[in-house]
Amino acid sequence: MRPTWAAVRMSPGRACSSGVPKNLLKIGRLNHVAIAVPDLEETTKLYRDVLGADVTEAEHLPEHGVTTVFINLDNTKLELLHPYGENSPIANFLASKPAGGIHHICFEVDDIHAAIRKLQEDNVRILNPEPKIGAHGKPVIFLHPKDMNGVLVELEE
C-alpha cells in the first residue's frame, strides 16, 4: 500500500521545527490553468472578442496530441486545449465531458529533475517520469491526479 502524502509528511525525522518537511519541493508561481474545449475557434473568440483578453495564435503540439491557445492575463495564463491527432488525451477528456472544463493546473519549479527525484522519494506518481518539452519550450511533467487530490498537476521548469 502506498503511503499518503500526509503520512510521508508527518513521518518521524521528516519535519523541521515549523512542521514543514525538510527538503520540501517548492513550487513557484501558477503558470496556467488549462481548459479543454470542444471548439477552439469559438472559445478563442469568446475570450478575445467578448472578454477583451490577449490571446495567442493556435499552436499544434503533435507530441502532446493537442492544439493550444494561451490567454494572457495580468497574473497568470489560461491554456485552451483542443484535440490534435488520433491519440489525443484531450479527445478522451472531451468524450467524458463534452462541454469541456478545467483539465489541469501548472506550477513552475526551478529544477524539473530535482522535482522528479523529490516526488519519487515521496511516492507521488509521475505520469511521464521523463520530462517532455511543453508549449512554452520548457520541460514539463504531469503528476497523477490520484496523488494530487483529484487534480491533474503539471510542473514546468
Side-chain angles (χ1 to χ4, degrees):
M1 181 171 158
R2 297 171 51 82
T4 64
W5 180 83
V8 171
R9 182 176 59 121
M10 301 310 278
S11 349
R14 298 268 314 178
C16 63
S17 61
S18 68
V20 176
K22 295 177 183 175
N23 302 320
L24 183 68
L25 167 65
K26 183 167 177 14
I27 58 174
R29 67 186 277 277
L30 174 67
N31 184 283
H32 64 267
V33 175
I35 304 169
V37 300
D39 188 326
L40 187 59
E41 187 176 321
E42 284 301 312
T43 307
T44 300
K45 286 180 187 177
L46 170 69
Y47 280 95
R48 184 187 59 226
D49 301 341
V50 176
L51 299 176
D54 171 33
V55 303
T56 66
E57 293 295 320
E59 181 179 357
H60 303 298
L61 300 171
E63 64 279 8
H64 293 279
V66 299
T67 299
T68 64
V69 169
F70 279 92
I71 313 296
N72 297 305
L73 306 172
D74 288 342
N75 58 346
T76 193
K77 296 181 284 284
L78 299 178
E79 179 184 31
L80 304 181
L81 299 171
H82 188 72
Y84 183 83
E86 293 180 20
N87 297 317
S88 173
I90 301 307
N92 295 336
F93 183 93
L94 290 172
S96 67
K97 296 179 176 141
I102 293 177
H103 183 262
H104 69 267
I105 59 174
C106 177
F107 297 107
E108 296 175 358
V109 295
D110 289 334
D111 181 338
I112 199 80
H113 295 286
I116 290 168
R117 286 190 299 276
K118 178 64 176 147
L119 290 161
Q120 288 172 334
E121 182 181 302
D122 287 338
N123 295 312
V124 175
R125 287 174 284 182
I126 302 169
L127 296 177
N128 59 309
E130 280 299 315
K132 295 181 179 181
I133 299 302
H136 298 115
K138 298 178 181 178
V140 300
I141 58 171
F142 286 88
L143 310 182
H144 200 295
K146 289 184 179 178
D147 293 342
M148 301 303 295
N149 297 96
V151 177
L152 179 60
V153 173
E154 178 182 20
L155 298 180
E156 176 183 282
E157 187 170 272

